[in-house]
Amino acid sequence: MKVGSRKLGLTLGAVVMLALLPVRAEAQTGPYSPMFWSFEGSVGMVLPMGDIADAAESGPAFTAAASYFMSPRLALRAEGGLDMLGTKGSVDPNFQILHLLGGIEYHLVDPMGNTTVAVDVLAGASTFDTDVIRVHDHPSSGDFTVGLVNGSYVSGNAGIKVGYNFARHADSGVPMVTLFAHAKVRMIWADAENTHVYMALNGLDGFDTVMEVPFSVGLRINFP
């Protein structure tokens, strides 16, 4: 987990440095009226990948986020989300993952235009929560194991957003509402000892990393 956290920190630092280079040049081009705050909500599906995909199925995903623009294209971003995964086992333990992350958002095209294309890189924590799980014939025939999966772990994600801006604020001309689609890749560094009960529903060992690919659509409200 320490190695993964170090790599995530280096990646975030590199993205910030690259993003600030065009920002400085753009800020000198003349008058500009950037939006200062944006709030968004989205709903979609999350696809489990890697080891967890052997036991988990896709489920609904919900996200809320706020962005504060420090320059015409660069913003600080805070994001919360809830993923609700199913299971391939005969018993569904209602596996939920709550995410709280922060990082940066960079717009590849002028956010004052009619379209939005932005990337974001975030890091934070993800919390597992399940119902109590009872696994029959585990660890041997005639026995059973009872447990649940919980705990918070380091996580990070990178995503890309494409949207259409419509309805502008009368005074500033800043787009008022954005309809968007968002795709991400998320990694969570977990603990195999804590997750083995969930995987045992399918006769598998616990997982120590989780990879998810969420897809969502939503609305973004901009405040100049």
Side-chain angles (χ1 to χ4, degrees):
M1 186 170 71
K2 291 183 179 179
V3 175
S5 301
R6 190 179 300 112
K7 289 183 178 179
L8 187 60
L10 292 174
T11 301
L12 282 171
V15 171
V16 170
M17 293 179 63
L18 290 174
L20 287 175
L21 292 175
V23 166
R24 182 176 180 182
E26 185 173 347
Q28 299 173 353
T29 60
Y32 194 90
S33 299
M35 65 193 81
F36 293 106
W37 284 99
S38 291
F39 299 92
E40 67 183 53
S42 63
V43 60
M45 296 289 292
V46 58
L47 306 179
M49 309 289 285
D51 291 342
I52 193 176
D54 294 331
E57 292 185 332
S58 59
F62 307 90
T63 303
S67 299
Y68 175 73
F69 279 76
M70 301 182 296
S71 74
R73 296 198 184 195
L74 182 65
L76 296 176
R77 179 179 175 88
E79 181 178 294
L82 175 64
D83 300 338
M84 304 175 68
L85 299 176
T87 181
K88 297 177 180 178
S90 57
V91 178
D92 189 341
N94 189 29
F95 191 176
Q96 300 182 359
I97 308 178
L98 176 66
H99 310 281
L100 293 174
L101 306 104
I104 62 170
E105 170 186 315
Y106 183 72
H107 287 250
L108 302 177
V109 300
D110 188 345
M112 291 285 286
N114 292 327
T115 58
T116 292
V117 181
V119 294
D120 54 77
V121 180
L122 310 175
S126 295
T127 300
F128 297 158
D129 179 47
T130 69
D131 300 328
V132 175
I133 302 169
R134 181 183 175 111
V135 185
H136 292 279
D137 297 327
H138 183 270
S140 60
S141 178
D143 294 336
F144 65 87
T145 297
V146 175
L148 51 79
V149 179
N150 57 14
S152 297
Y153 305 97
V154 172
S155 63
N157 63 238
I160 184 167
K161 177 189 290 115
V162 178
Y164 177 74
N165 303 324
F166 59 94
R168 295 178 178 270
H169 293 275
D171 294 335
S172 64
V174 170
M176 185 182 302
V177 181
T178 301
L179 176 65
F180 66 85
H182 200 183
K184 310 175 193 177
V185 176
R186 177 182 293 123
M187 289 294 299
I188 306 170
W189 288 269
D191 183 346
E193 289 296 322
N194 189 33
T195 60
H196 76 279
V197 174
Y198 177 77
M199 299 297 280
L201 290 170
N202 291 274
L204 303 169
D205 295 329
F207 56 84
D208 55 12
T209 58
V210 176
M211 182 177 179
E212 295 182 314
V213 180
F215 298 93
S216 62
V217 294
L219 286 175
R220 180 175 179 128
I221 309 298
N222 307 314
F223 294 90

